[in-house]
Amino acid sequence: MSKPRLPLTVTGVCDPGPLVRQPLTAADAEDLAGVFKALSDPVRLRLLSAIAARAGQEACVCDVSDGLEVSQPTISHHLKVLREAGVLTSERRASWVYYRVVPAALRRLSDVLAAEAGLGVTA
C-alpha cells in the first residue's frame, strides 16, 4: 500500500528583484529573432564581415564571393536573406549590385545584447 501524499508547503517566497529596465516586448523579440536567425549562418556572417571590412562598408557582389566555397546563386540567396533582415541594403550600378551595411541595424543588435549583458550602453 502506498503512502498518502502530503500537500506541499512553501517554506520560502520567491522574491524577485526590482526591474532595472523593461524586458523585450513580444514584437521586439519577434523582430530581433528574425535578424539573429539571418545572422546564424556562417556563410552569411562571412558575407556581412566581407562587406563591413570594405571602405564605406560597401562592396560589389563580385568582391565578396572570393574564398567562399558556395555557388553564385547560393551567395545571392544569402545576400537576399541579409537584405530582407535589414542588415544590408543593395543598389544596382550598371551590371553589378553593390551591398552596404546598415549601421543602425547592427547598432540595435549591439544595444540589445549589451542591455541583456547588463552593460551600460553609451551613445
Side-chain angles (χ1 to χ4, degrees):
M1 188 177 206
S2 64
K3 289 185 174 182
R5 291 185 174 200
L6 298 175
L8 288 176
T9 57
V10 178
T11 58
V13 176
C14 177
D15 185 21
L19 282 177
V20 293
R21 64 175 175 78
Q22 289 299 313
L24 288 174
T25 66
D28 285 341
E30 185 76 25
D31 186 42
L32 288 166
V35 179
F36 281 117
K37 183 177 179 182
L39 294 173
S40 69
D41 184 277
V43 172
R44 290 194 282 266
L45 279 176
R46 290 185 66 198
L47 286 168
L48 178 64
S49 179
I51 295 166
R54 301 282 178 164
Q57 294 187 315
E58 177 184 77
C60 176
V61 67
C62 61
D63 295 330
V64 296
S65 57
D66 291 340
L68 295 174
E69 303 290 324
V70 294
S71 67
Q72 185 59 47
T74 301
I75 289 173
S76 293
H77 166 74
H78 286 303
L79 289 168
K80 177 184 174 190
V81 170
L82 291 170
R83 208 175 56 246
E84 289 175 346
V87 177
L88 296 178
T89 60
S90 64
E91 178 185 353
R92 180 169 290 281
R93 298 180 195 159
S95 60
W96 295 106
V97 177
Y98 285 78
Y99 290 87
R100 181 181 295 256
V101 172
V102 177
L106 297 183
R107 196 172 308 109
R108 181 177 181 219
L109 294 174
S110 179
D111 290 349
V112 166
L113 292 174
E116 294 300 326
L119 304 175
V121 179
T122 58

